[in-house]
Amino acid sequence: MKAIDRIYQVLVTHHLGEKLTTEQIAAAVGLTRGVVSSYLSHLFRAGKIVKSGTRPIFWEVSAPASAFDDFIGTQGSLHAVVDRCREAIIYPPNGLPILITGPSGVGKSFLAKVIFNEAKRLGKITPDGRFVVLNAADYANNPELLSSVLFGYKKGAFTGANTDSPGLLDQADHGYLFLDEIHRLPPASQEKLFSLLDSGDFYPLGENKQPHHVTVRFVFATTEDIDNVLLKTFLRRVPLQVTLPAFINRTLNERTTLVLNAFKHEADRIKQSIQITLPTLLSLANTNAPGNVGAMENQVKLLCAAAYAQHTDKTVPILVGADNGYQITISGTMPLQQLQLLPTQIAPTMAKLGQQLQTSLQSDDDINEQNLLVRQTVRPLTNLTDAMLITAVQQQLQGSAEAILHHRYGVRLPADASFWHRNAVALYCIQVGTNVSRQHEFAPLSDLVRTKYPRSAYLFEHMLAKVMQKDNPAIWLLFPLLMQPVVKKVESVAYNGILLAHGQSTAASIQSVVNNLCGNYLFEAFDMPIDVSIHEINQQVQNYLSTQRAGNAGTFVLFDMGSLNQMFSEIKKTQDQKLLVINNLTTAMALDVGLRMQRQDSFTTIAQASHRYGDTMGTQYFEGLSDQRNIIVSCMSGVGLSEEIRRMMRNTLSGKEQIITMDYKDLRATLDNHDQRFFDKTQFVLTTTDITTDLNIAIINIYDIMEKTGYYQLVKLLTDAGERQADCQHFMDQLLKFFSIEGIRDRLQFLNPDVVINEVEKITSSYQAYYGIELAGKVRLNLYMHLALMIERMLLASHKPDKVTTIKITSDQEHEFFSVSHTIFHGIEVKYNFKVADYEISLMYQLLAPYI
């Protein structure tokens, strides 16, 4: 096998559909680069392979020729349409009828002919099969004539029918019949097509015995709403329907290719090359006339005719448009593939600029250096367009800047017209001059910009999302030109700020106010549905933070409702940086945080300042219960008792530990719902009951200090925490005095201590008698304290509305205890005129359950 054939065989067998460089192919076949390069050039000239790119050049095996290759948009916006047409062509046994809809002049007739050509290429119709066209509009007022033309007629069928005459259906046998303007076909004629579509049988006019049979494939076309003009029974027989869009709704690359293709036809007509200027190309590509492609092609004819009339030198191409130093040359023999690349004659300039910007970014140059590179490139291209031509783009850019950068993020770009004109020209050249197949070359540029200017890049993407077609990384060529005036200011913010609120625009409204008052991008906002979960919120937050690649100084999350600890923990799981979470979001709160972010206050300063937003606000900026060493105090008899113990600890101990008081229910819930990390800085828990937990936390029952073991355990915990022995002894003395009968006397503020002590002793004795138990002294003292304070609490609260707490009874023993307790408390309830709540009885049960 010859070397050239071996190279081609390797490409076909092992690399079909791949783009390879010369070096990669040389390595694959084991030949030198120089030899392989020569053979590849021969294969290219023979049409067996295609090439793309410049440095390096990529080689690829040519795909089998298809009739759709000549249909502009096959690989673009009309890809799905073409796929469905291919399916209709190959479906056995005779394909599927196709209905093409779309405005006038979009290429329905051309697509029908392409479908016919592809069917012939694939051998789905006979080589002599014909493409027969009937425009129903030509016979709209004469249905009988339409029928005779379509179905043919027999001799004598009507006056003047002197011989048998075949119709268009007979002519289209084993080929395609294209019925254009099908909506002009009257219902009676549509009905005549039913059996034809079903079986291939029809009767010519004047024939009622012997049907004709044909094998005809159908393509129909209309500009109208098919539901209003075609019978439902007819539509059921045409299962495949495709729509061609208006010219202006095609992509810019496709529109420019269509324009260039029209110039190619004119160049072929006059047998002379034509040069067109880029402004002319873009102006025609923006044609938005009712005639669509047809209207554009008529404009091209008129321009060429005018240029031809003034052209005298037959040795040079005809120039269409004013000579402004940049023209595209079109010849009548130019292949469509080359036409598709012509708009990208600017591509080398854009590619070079991309490389220059990448080098500049990698060298850590200033944004001004990168701005200068873009301006130098755009400057000679400015003459390619005029203000009127790019007015639409300029207005789009300015409108997006106003709506996104200014209104939402508080960032203003310059207002002078030259700035916007320069950016509009650059954007146009990027759109026209970057080939889809090579856009991946700009991906490194986008990554570099996002890395160096993450906050500005984020704004840039949001602003351009409505202006530039998606997924074109070449858009980052515009970044230094558009964003240079604001990059320094935007990137100066060291923090990330996030606003979260339920509703359609709550967070966005606060964001707009705060960012604009501060004059900079400080906060991003996310408006969330009411039923959104914490996990979903966190996912949105993480997605946002991943785009910022900044905020090393810390992140501030302000939200409107929900669990503060849960929100903090969920976000903190995936974030190493400092985090402050504040709930019950308000505009004033966000503005205060924003101003502090702007003047670059320290994270700690901002976090500490957040505590002053009011009692309804909650803040958390550390992981766990506290960011300081702490002792938790929680008494079953109420927060007041816990506060009293905290007061004693503050008065006697060093103050090194934060004393945190908690409601007993909250303590149980906190222990149950958090892991060990949450209590990393907690020294121990001081409470009035025995609590079991799987966590490694020391929990001391205050009443245990009445015995030596408990006493010395508490002293050891305090000294281990850094307290002096003398201070510990002082605190213990105060605590022992407090938790005694005298202590109970001192705690009662309203009732007569002697009377209450008698009552609680009677209640305690009743429990001991019923259950046949003898409670230890410390347990009785605990019970005395609890009951005395409970009676006073119930009495003082008896005139207030009762806040019902639902108690779930889970065992027979508990049910019995509630029943007995209501009996035991009945006397005191009558005496003092109050009702002991079930919640209070549940606390009593927790105290006595271990002994009954």
Side-chain angles (χ1 to χ4, degrees):
M1 180 184 293
K2 294 181 179 180
I4 189 171
D5 295 329
R6 182 156 62 90
I7 292 172
Y8 183 69
Q9 187 65 33
V10 168
L11 291 176
V12 170
T13 305
H14 302 291
H15 302 287
L16 192 63
E18 295 182 38
K19 292 184 178 182
L20 302 177
T21 64
T22 305
E23 288 80 358
Q24 289 172 321
I25 297 172
V29 298
L31 297 174
T32 65
R33 184 189 184 284
V35 171
V36 170
S37 178
S38 176
Y39 286 143
L40 290 173
S41 297
H42 285 294
L43 290 171
F44 174 70
R45 287 193 293 271
K48 291 187 174 183
I49 62 175
V50 294
K51 66 178 179 179
S52 59
T54 52
R55 294 182 181 178
I57 294 174
F58 291 93
W59 306 92
E60 182 181 10
V61 175
S62 299
S66 165
F68 286 110
D69 291 344
D70 294 329
F71 189 58
I72 297 168
T74 294
Q75 302 300 325
S77 67
L78 302 183
H79 180 73
V81 170
V82 170
D83 280 351
R84 300 198 70 189
C85 290
R86 284 197 177 105
E87 294 163 5
I89 291 170
I90 66 175
Y91 194 75
N94 296 310
L96 296 173
I98 304 172
L99 175 59
I100 307 172
T101 61
S104 176
V106 294
K108 297 187 295 296
S109 300
F110 183 69
L111 176 57
K113 186 62 180 290
V114 170
I115 291 170
F116 164 75
N117 290 334
E118 181 67 1
K120 180 175 284 190
R121 185 188 74 82
L122 294 173
K124 298 301 179 180
I125 59 176
T126 60
D128 58 349
R130 299 176 58 188
F131 181 71
V132 179
V133 179
L134 173 63
N135 191 322
D138 296 339
Y139 304 92
N141 299 320
N142 195 336
E144 288 299 322
L145 180 58
L146 173 63
S147 293
S148 67
V149 170
L150 181 59
F151 299 103
Y153 55 84
K154 301 293 288 183
K155 180 180 177 180
F158 52 83
T159 302
N162 299 322
T163 60
D164 289 353
S165 178
L168 295 181
L169 283 171
D170 290 306
Q171 297 178 32
D173 195 15
H174 301 294
Y176 269 84
L177 177 63
F178 174 48
L179 280 172
D180 200 5
E181 305 288 354
I182 186 67
H183 62 275
R184 304 300 290 272
L185 202 65
S189 296
Q190 292 183 41
E191 291 174 354
K192 289 181 181 179
L193 289 174
F194 290 174
S195 62
L196 180 61
L197 290 167
D198 289 337
S199 64
D201 294 333
F202 70 96
Y203 291 91
L205 266 66
E207 175 66 73
N208 55 18
K209 295 181 179 179
Q210 184 64 38
H212 282 208
H213 182 81
V214 290
T215 302
V216 176
R217 294 172 173 234
F218 288 91
V219 179
F220 307 103
T222 180
T223 58
E224 304 300 312
D225 182 347
I226 58 176
D227 291 327
N228 295 330
V229 296
L230 298 178
L231 297 175
K232 305 301 182 192
T233 46
F234 176 77
L235 287 175
R236 284 201 298 270
R237 290 167 169 82
V238 187
L240 183 58
Q241 300 166 13
V242 296
T243 300
L244 296 183
F247 175 71
I248 197 64
N249 292 332
R250 302 279 289 272
T251 66
L252 182 60
N253 279 338
E254 289 176 7
R255 300 201 307 269
T256 54
T257 304
L258 287 164
V259 172
L260 293 171
N261 196 47
F263 275 107
K264 173 195 169 181
H265 289 313
E266 297 310 309
D268 184 54
R269 182 199 301 268
I270 63 178
K271 306 303 179 187
Q272 192 167 355
S273 296
I274 298 174
Q275 284 186 335
I276 62 170
T277 61
L278 187 59
T280 304
L281 172 64
L282 296 177
S283 179
L284 289 166
N286 283 318
T287 297
N288 189 14
N292 291 287
V293 178
M296 177 274 293
E297 291 174 340
N298 285 334
Q299 290 185 54
V300 169
K301 285 183 173 69
L302 294 173
L303 288 171
C304 289
Y308 185 84
Q310 298 178 5
H311 188 65
T312 56
D313 188 353
K314 303 300 181 182
T315 64
V316 297
I318 296 173
L319 178 64
V320 176
D323 185 357
N324 61 1
Y326 190 93
Q327 294 86 33
I328 296 174
T329 302
I330 308 292
S331 71
T333 59
M334 192 172 284
L336 179 61
Q337 185 182 25
Q338 192 172 349
L339 283 180
Q340 291 170 328
L341 295 175
L342 274 176
T344 65
Q345 288 186 5
I346 303 175
T349 303
M350 297 294 111
K352 180 180 178 182
L353 174 61
Q355 290 296 326
Q356 290 175 322
L357 289 175
Q358 287 184 43
T359 301
S360 177
L361 286 161
Q362 290 167 340
S363 301
D364 203 27
D365 292 340
D366 187 78
I367 184 68
N368 294 311
E369 296 294 326
Q370 292 135 25
N371 176 268
L372 187 60
L373 286 172
V374 182
R375 292 189 64 166
Q376 288 171 342
T377 302
V378 171
R379 186 171 179 272
L381 300 177
T382 303
N383 291 331
L384 299 180
T385 57
D386 55 42
M388 291 186 62
L389 182 64
I390 63 168
T391 294
V393 174
Q394 189 167 326
Q395 289 176 343
Q396 275 186 303
L397 278 174
Q398 287 184 273
S400 185
E402 180 66 21
I404 303 298
L405 293 191
H406 177 213
H407 178 71
R408 184 169 178 178
Y409 295 105
V411 175
R412 282 186 176 273
L413 290 172
D416 61 283
S418 61
F419 171 83
W420 289 105
H421 181 270
R422 188 162 53 246
N423 277 279
V425 171
L427 179 57
Y428 236 138
C429 291
I430 292 168
Q431 287 179 298
V432 175
T434 52
N435 193 316
V436 174
S437 65
R438 298 192 58 183
Q439 288 177 359
H440 65 278
E441 297 176 5
F442 296 94
L445 173 63
S446 65
D447 291 339
L448 287 167
V449 173
R450 289 189 183 100
T451 299
K452 185 167 184 179
Y453 310 113
R455 294 175 61 80
S456 304
Y458 182 79
L459 298 185
F460 178 78
E461 285 189 281
H462 274 56
M463 176 185 166
L464 270 293
K466 296 182 180 179
V467 178
M468 186 72 173
Q469 71 182 69
K470 293 182 179 180
D471 302 324
N472 184 0
I475 189 60
W476 292 95
L477 295 171
L478 185 66
F479 177 86
L481 192 65
L482 184 69
M483 299 299 291
Q484 179 268 341
V486 297
V487 160
K488 184 176 181 181
K489 183 177 183 179
V490 171
E491 299 299 328
S492 68
V493 179
Y495 300 103
N496 288 320
I498 302 173
L499 306 177
L500 303 169
H502 297 80
Q504 294 184 347
S505 60
T506 306
S509 297
I510 296 175
Q511 174 198 32
S512 177
V513 170
V514 174
N515 284 342
N516 274 276
L517 287 175
C518 294
N520 201 359
Y521 162 40
L522 300 173
F523 286 105
E524 180 55 288
F526 298 104
D527 293 302
M528 305 168 297
I530 296 297
D531 58 350
V532 69
S533 69
I534 286 286
H535 176 73
E536 291 170 321
I537 295 173
N538 180 54
Q539 190 59 56
Q540 200 160 13
V541 170
Q542 300 310 325
N543 291 340
Y544 167 70
L545 292 176
S546 69
T547 66
Q548 297 303 283
R549 302 184 188 175
N552 292 328
T555 294
F556 302 106
V557 178
L558 286 64
F559 70 108
D560 61 345
M561 67 174 104
S563 167
L564 184 67
N565 287 336
Q566 192 176 4
M567 178 73 78
F568 182 92
S569 299
E570 188 73 18
I571 297 174
K572 190 66 177 176
K573 286 177 185 176
T574 51
Q575 291 296 316
D576 292 332
Q577 60 190 233
K578 298 175 183 176
L579 175 66
L580 168 66
V581 177
I582 309 174
N583 63 6
N584 294 325
L585 167 66
T586 66
T587 302
M589 173 211 301
L591 180 59
D592 183 70
V593 173
L595 290 170
R596 294 174 184 276
M597 291 167 61
Q598 187 177 44
R599 68 180 184 229
Q600 299 185 9
D601 285 2
S602 71
F603 179 88
T604 303
T605 300
I606 299 176
Q608 291 174 346
S610 68
H611 290 295
R612 68 178 182 81
Y613 296 140
D615 294 336
T616 60
M617 310 300 175
T619 66
Q620 186 167 344
Y621 57 93
F622 46 82
E623 189 164 20
L625 181 64
S626 174
D627 64 336
Q628 303 175 42
R629 290 193 310 168
N630 62 85
I631 297 170
I632 301 174
V633 179
S634 178
C635 297
M636 184 179 287
S637 300
V639 175
L641 189 56
S642 301
E643 291 292 341
E644 186 65 31
I645 296 173
R646 178 166 70 171
R647 184 189 63 77
M648 282 189 284
M649 297 180 86
R650 284 178 172 175
N651 290 339
T652 58
L653 300 178
S654 66
K656 296 176 181 177
E657 291 80 24
Q658 180 184 14
I659 312 301
I660 299 174
T661 60
M662 298 181 71
D663 181 83
Y664 179 73
K665 288 188 298 182
D666 291 340
L667 173 63
R668 292 304 305 259
T670 303
L671 291 170
D672 292 341
N673 296 325
H674 292 89
D675 58 18
Q676 188 68 44
R677 291 180 305 168
F678 189 80
F679 299 97
D680 276 351
K681 292 188 178 296
T682 300
Q683 306 299 299
F684 59 89
V685 178
L686 195 59
T687 183
T688 57
T689 187
D690 295 326
I691 298 177
T692 57
T693 177
D694 294 333
L695 300 174
N696 184 24
I697 302 174
I699 300 177
I700 300 297
N701 187 329
I702 291 173
Y703 293 99
D704 283 342
I705 67 171
M706 307 256 178
E707 299 176 355
K708 287 186 177 181
T709 302
Y711 180 92
Y712 288 119
Q713 184 182 9
L714 181 56
V715 170
K716 184 177 187 308
L717 287 171
L718 288 170
T719 54
D720 288 347
E723 296 296 334
R724 294 187 310 143
Q725 187 73 34
D727 292 338
C728 292
Q729 187 61 53
H730 188 192
F731 169 65
M732 298 300 286
D733 291 343
Q734 294 288 319
L735 199 59
L736 287 171
K737 179 181 178 182
F738 182 77
F739 282 95
S740 64
I741 296 297
E742 291 306 313
I744 296 175
R745 293 179 185 276
D746 293 339
R747 288 292 298 147
L748 294 173
Q749 300 176 2
F750 178 74
L751 294 176
N752 184 326
D754 293 325
V755 174
V756 172
I757 291 298
N758 291 332
E759 297 286 358
V760 299
E761 285 181 333
K762 188 184 303 181
I763 293 170
T764 302
S765 296
S766 297
Y767 276 116
Q768 291 183 114
Y770 181 83
Y771 284 105
I773 57 176
E774 183 68 32
L775 297 174
K778 68 170 186 178
V779 178
R780 286 203 307 275
L781 187 58
N782 188 1
L783 201 55
Y784 289 174
M785 175 73 76
H786 181 82
L787 285 169
L789 295 177
M790 182 199 77
I791 293 170
E792 185 169 83
R793 187 165 62 249
M794 290 290 97
L795 188 60
L796 293 175
S798 61
H799 66 284
K800 299 179 181 178
D802 184 27
K803 294 182 180 179
V804 178
T805 300
T806 302
I807 302 300
K808 185 176 181 180
I809 300 175
T810 58
S811 67
D812 291 341
Q813 176 180 288
E814 192 174 356
H815 188 277
E816 180 187 12
F817 183 86
F818 269 74
S819 176
V820 169
S821 297
H822 283 303
T823 302
I824 291 174
F825 283 121
H826 178 71
I828 197 170
E829 286 177 337
V830 172
K831 182 176 182 178
Y832 290 105
N833 192 27
F834 65 78
K835 180 73 174 175
V836 177
D838 282 351
Y839 172 69
E840 296 290 348
I841 295 177
S842 71
L843 295 179
M844 291 287 298
Y845 179 74
Q846 291 182 51
L847 283 171
L848 293 175
Y851 311 104
I852 60 176

